[in-house]
Amino acid sequence: MASINQNYRKLPGSYLFSTIGKKVREYESAHPDRKVIRLGIGDVTQPLAPEIIKALHLAVDEMGNRATFRGYAPDLGYDFLRNVIAKEDFQSRGCEISADEIFVSDGAKCDCGNIQEIFGPDNKIAVQDPVYPVYVDSNVMAGRTGTYDEKLQRFRDVIYMPCTAETGFAPELPNEVPDLIYLCFPNNPTGAVMKKEDLQEWVDYANKNGSVILYDAAYEAYIHEEDVPHSIFECEGAKGCAIEFRSFSKTAGFTGLRLGFTVIPKELKIDGVSVHDLWARRHGTKYNGAPYIVQRAGEAVYSEAGRQQIAEQIGVYMENARIISEGLKEAGYALSGGVNAPYIWMRTPDRMTSWEFFDYLLETANVVGTPGAGFGPHGEYYFRLTAFGDRENTIEAVERIKRL
């Protein structure tokens, strides 16, 4: 008789953004005359840059020609993309990362969720709190987190590292040593960053204790401050203890195309076993490679014209972040983020819970954000707004909130 994976039943409720989508759809159905502005889910709104569209068209034409048609992509990625990633994202910053240490995929979310498969079921994980839900949920599904404590709103076998206003929304080194450490900078949801000397402490800690850092750098393109590292591999010794995840979704608007990559140095070994080789085996077994036309579009991101056009788009989003931040500060809200990341992390007013504020904002201002509690217990009494809306809607949303 068939049975199910009981670990799935430990997950509390539905996925955060599915819950938000359901509530918004129900509200819109009941109030079809009202314009709802979405600043919740971090989806982009600007169209793909012209240089990327050009690359897509050229690749599509190739697929219609017998001489240039491509079938299955190499499971680890085409060399033309891996080579340019290695050169422009890492070697240009002094990181000794080679093309064959880069694994191209259809997005960082998938890789962040799947990476835990190559580690033992008894590995203990540590996560920032608040945290992007995929890190925890994927480990729940694997049976690595223990049971869920409704009262504490956390899993018993997970090490939660509080990120509070007092710590600049960055975690402190945990007293209990974890096996796997999830870090995300610039951070989703708080928008916080970690300076290089602080990140170096984490690398030293991991090397000292035999831990592996799983570093989500999906928003590195939004970094504006000089002393903030774009990659964990800018830190000495990181190649022996870290894995890095990158995404084209927020960098170049590929949320609808799907493209990302993971970097696993060959130096990273556990009990003498190459983590790079294990991921290559997993990747080759379970994945047939990102589409050729999408990888050509990814290559165009690194062209001179592509870089310029994408920088302009990022500038639009960061101007939205400035508009949100300054507008809400004028209205008396306490907030952070919006400097090196497209997220604004605001304190809810009048001790409202984050879901109470979600409902209040939706019903009163017809604006959608993301409740902080959905990111973990230390996200309670906070609320995330994104800068990915279009300019007109962003300005209108801020004005609506200011009138509350």
Side-chain angles (χ1 to χ4, degrees):
M1 180 178 178
S3 62
I4 64 170
N5 180 349
Q6 293 292 332
N7 293 312
Y8 277 69
R9 302 185 67 187
K10 298 176 184 177
L11 292 165
S14 62
Y15 184 57
L16 171 62
F17 297 107
S18 299
T19 301
I20 291 172
K22 182 174 183 292
K23 291 173 78 74
V24 173
R25 287 191 299 273
E26 290 174 349
Y27 180 84
E28 289 181 319
S29 177
H31 305 87
D33 57 324
R34 297 183 185 176
K35 175 186 175 183
V36 174
I37 299 177
R38 291 170 171 78
L39 299 181
I41 295 175
D43 196 2
V44 296
T45 53
Q46 294 185 78
L48 294 170
E51 196 69 10
I52 294 170
I53 293 295
K54 177 182 174 182
L56 285 168
H57 280 301
L58 289 172
V60 168
D61 288 341
E62 287 184 85
M63 295 297 278
N65 186 311
R66 182 181 296 276
T68 55
F69 171 79
R70 308 285 184 118
Y72 285 124
D75 51 7
L76 307 185
Y78 282 102
D79 287 342
F80 63 76
L81 181 56
R82 299 170 84 193
N83 286 332
V84 73
I85 289 171
K87 178 183 176 182
E88 300 297 338
D89 280 340
F90 298 98
Q91 294 165 11
S92 66
R93 296 187 180 278
C95 306
E96 296 180 356
I97 297 297
S98 60
D100 60 357
E101 293 175 314
I102 293 166
F103 298 81
V104 177
S105 70
D106 58 358
K109 179 179 180 179
C110 296
D111 287 354
C112 286
N114 291 329
I115 195 69
Q116 51 78 28
E117 289 187 20
I118 64 174
F119 295 100
D122 57 343
N123 280 203
K124 193 151 195 174
I125 70 166
V127 296
Q128 294 170 255
D129 178 18
V131 68
Y132 184 45
V134 169
Y135 310 148
V136 175
D137 288 359
S138 58
N139 279 282
V140 173
M141 296 170 181
R144 198 176 280 115
T145 60
T147 56
Y148 186 70
D149 188 317
E150 288 280 357
K151 184 177 181 181
L152 297 177
Q153 295 186 324
R154 60 181 63 191
F155 288 90
R156 294 185 184 276
D157 293 339
V158 173
I159 299 171
Y160 290 86
M161 303 181 293
C163 298
T164 65
E166 291 70 30
T167 67
F169 297 104
E172 297 179 338
L173 296 171
N175 293 323
E176 181 183 359
V177 177
D179 301 299
L180 305 175
I181 304 169
Y182 286 85
L183 295 179
C184 174
F185 291 106
N187 185 256
N188 178 15
T190 68
V193 293
M194 189 174 283
K195 301 297 178 68
K196 184 175 180 180
E197 61 268 24
D198 297 322
L199 186 56
Q200 184 66 58
E201 288 186 17
W202 283 89
V203 171
D204 294 342
Y205 174 89
N207 278 321
K208 176 183 176 181
N209 293 288
S211 305
V212 174
I213 297 175
L214 304 174
Y215 193 76
D216 186 350
Y219 299 94
E220 64 80 27
Y222 290 82
I223 294 172
H224 285 79
E225 295 178 324
E226 291 295 328
D227 55 349
V228 176
H230 288 250
S231 169
I232 195 170
F233 298 116
E234 294 177 45
C235 295
E236 184 178 353
K239 291 179 68 176
C241 69
I243 295 171
E244 182 166 307
F245 307 95
R246 291 282 190 100
S247 171
F248 287 80
S249 288
K250 309 303 167 51
T251 299
F254 278 38
T255 53
L257 289 184
R258 307 307 307 149
L259 190 66
F261 61 90
T262 292
V263 183
I264 305 184
K266 293 179 181 178
E267 292 178 24
L268 178 56
K269 295 183 179 181
I270 300 176
D271 293 330
V273 177
S274 168
V275 177
H276 176 280
D277 291 350
L278 291 181
W279 186 244
R281 185 66 171 85
R282 190 261 174 209
H283 215 59
T285 300
K286 294 191 172 185
Y287 189 58
N288 271 335
Y292 171 71
I293 59 174
V294 177
Q295 293 196 49
R296 280 298 186 191
E299 180 188 30
V301 169
Y302 297 93
S303 67
E304 183 176 352
R307 282 183 177 279
Q308 180 179 347
Q309 293 164 8
I310 288 164
E312 291 172 358
Q313 291 190 336
I314 289 174
V316 170
Y317 292 135
M318 293 310 294
E319 176 63 12
N320 286 348
R322 185 196 64 78
I323 290 168
I324 296 170
S325 295
E326 292 185 359
L328 295 185
K329 284 178 181 178
E330 287 178 12
Y333 290 94
L335 53 85
S336 63
V339 177
N340 295 293
Y343 294 121
I344 288 80
W345 188 240
M346 62 181 289
R347 186 81 175 176
T348 59
D350 304 322
R351 292 293 291 176
M352 282 186 180
T353 68
S354 56
W355 279 106
E356 286 174 345
F357 187 63
F358 173 90
D359 291 334
Y360 173 71
L361 200 63
L362 176 60
E363 293 168 5
T364 309
N366 305 147
V367 174
V368 178
T370 306
F375 297 102
H378 278 86
E380 187 58 279
Y381 304 113
Y382 283 92
F383 202 72
R384 191 193 78 174
L385 295 173
T386 83
F388 288 120
D390 64 41
R391 180 62 47 77
E392 182 180 345
N393 281 340
T394 297
I395 293 172
E396 183 177 346
V398 171
E399 292 303 314
R400 291 183 187 181
I401 296 172
K402 289 170 69 174
R403 289 195 295 266
L404 294 177

